[in-house]
Amino acid sequence: MVHQHTTLKTIHELAELRQHVAQWRHQGERIVLVPTMGNLHAGHLALVQQARQLAPRVIASLFVNPTQFGPNEDFSAYPRTLAEDQAKLTAAGCDLLFAPPLATVYPQGAELTTRVEVPGLSDRLCGAFRPGHFAGVAQVVCKLFNMVQPDIAMFGEKDRQQLLVIQRMVADLNLPIEVVGSPTVREADGLAMSSRNAYLDAAQRRVAPQLYQALCVARDKLMAGEQDYSAIEQAAVQQLSEVGFRPDYVRIVRAQDYADPAPPDTRLVIAVAAWLGRARLIDNVVVERNAQRSD
Ligand code: PAF
């Protein structure tokens, strides 16, 4: 048997992307978009594989979006690994990679480009610690949706607040796109896969799974009927601090809008963001109170 070595079709310009999309549409094929910032790991590839189940054509995008990084964040340091990403996407069954240059996404410059704000939700938790972050995400995802015009778009549930922001944007702006969340992919020791795990040194990597363990302890307390959310959050902050994390927050919120829970809310999220060395790690678990665990 002869193995054919295929290189992933990679497109940098919008006009060429639109030709491909138009051809697929003409053939009646539905399209799924998997937006990424590259430096792909098994979590991204799970998104692509899940996308393949949902529609015959899968487009991944790769764009490290400057407008979602704060002035002192890791935009310039963010790992850029195009060749490796292309190989992984090919193996995962992606049909096309859209990797636009900065000037294609922001021809007027990012500062002068129309903004997209999702109020309320964008200001909580990660939004409070990273002002402007979710506005940058909403802006670029809105643009990617308009450039690619997919039927479906997939996002990982590790970034659950981002997923909610995008779902709200799509609903508010009546965008004809189904936004689908995909379960967090974890390493064998429980650490959620993330491009930022690459910032951890060997000692930090050994400590990192304790982020998920702290969430599991908090989840068990909720499942056991503990009512004092603030005490649960504080205990998790302390547990993380003791092993070397610098937590931004541990919060118990209601799942649908990340607001403070109150009866009769039963579907809750425990969300965490914490620094370990120069890596800011995030994670979350969903808890159904008065019900079985959902993840
Ligand atoms: O989750 C990410 O990688 C990014 O925030 C996204 C959705 C690709 C927008 O830049």
Side-chain angles (χ1 to χ4, degrees):
M1 187 178 158
V2 180
H3 288 277
Q4 259 192 316
H5 192 78
T6 50
T7 313
L8 181 65
K9 176 83 184 161
T10 302
I11 289 178
H12 302 285
E13 291 311 324
L14 182 55
E16 194 187 348
L17 171 74
R18 289 218 155 120
Q19 281 171 17
H20 280 267
V21 169
Q23 192 188 335
W24 289 339
R25 290 228 172 282
H26 186 68
Q27 292 162 201
E29 292 175 324
R30 279 161 60 82
I31 297 165
V32 193
L33 172 66
V34 180
T36 83
M37 296 204 300
N39 195 232
L40 304 180
H41 50 68
H44 293 111
L45 303 179
L47 285 177
V48 172
Q49 279 148 7
Q50 198 179 326
R52 286 201 63 76
Q53 312 301 313
L54 299 179
R57 293 293 178 183
V58 179
I59 301 179
S61 65
L62 192 171
F63 179 67
V64 185
N65 172 41
T67 69
Q68 68 189 78
F69 289 81
N72 300 315
E73 293 185 354
D74 54 343
F75 173 68
S76 356
Y78 202 85
R80 277 123 171 124
T81 51
L82 178 63
E84 290 93 326
D85 292 344
Q86 285 170 318
K88 289 176 186 170
L89 288 168
T90 306
C94 182
D95 291 295
L96 189 158
L97 175 63
F98 178 49
L102 197 60
T104 297
V105 180
Y106 297 116
Q108 320 297 325
E111 276 306 303
L112 296 179
T113 300
T114 300
R115 297 190 184 147
V116 182
E117 302 255 2
V118 179
L121 187 53
S122 299
D123 304 324
R124 301 183 192 127
L125 282 76
C126 272
F129 285 89
R130 303 183 68 189
H133 168 66
F134 288 119
V137 169
Q139 179 186 49
V140 80
V141 171
C142 190
K143 285 183 66 80
L144 288 167
F145 283 179
N146 287 323
M147 288 190 270
V148 179
Q149 299 187 322
D151 301 282
I152 303 170
M154 308 235 12
F155 298 87
E157 288 176 353
K158 179 180 71 68
D159 300 284
R160 188 177 291 278
Q161 192 176 2
Q162 166 174 283
L163 174 63
L164 285 183
V165 166
I166 292 164
Q167 283 171 332
R168 178 78 63 77
M169 173 188 79
V170 161
D172 289 351
L173 300 181
N174 307 100
L175 302 179
I177 296 170
E178 184 189 347
V179 175
V180 176
S182 177
T184 303
V185 179
R186 298 184 182 280
E187 304 282 0
D189 57 15
L191 177 66
M193 294 210 181
S194 163
S195 303
R196 290 190 168 102
N197 294 350
Y199 297 158
L200 300 170
D201 65 24
Q204 290 160 348
R205 176 63 188 81
R206 283 193 290 276
V207 171
Q210 303 216 26
L211 195 69
Y212 180 54
Q213 284 161 24
L215 288 179
C216 293
V217 170
R219 175 175 63 187
D220 290 346
K221 290 179 182 172
L222 282 177
M223 297 294 283
E226 268 199 49
Q227 301 286 348
D228 188 344
Y229 297 158
S230 160
I232 297 172
E233 292 165 356
Q234 280 312 312
V237 165
Q238 192 178 334
Q239 184 183 342
L240 290 170
S241 305
E242 279 168 6
V243 295
F245 283 94
R246 302 184 315 280
D248 274 353
Y249 64 81
V250 179
R251 289 296 314 281
I252 298 167
V253 291
R254 57 181 195 192
Q256 72 267 28
D257 59 3
Y258 271 37
D260 290 339
D265 300 326
T266 54
R267 189 171 159 80
L268 308 178
V269 171
I270 314 169
V272 62
W275 290 87
L276 192 56
R278 65 186 185 96
R280 185 178 186 275
L281 305 180
I282 61 173
D283 202 348
N284 68 86
V285 295
V286 177
V287 183
E288 299 279 0
R289 291 203 86 168
N290 312 319
Q292 293 298 308
R293 290 174 178 178
S294 70
D295 62 5

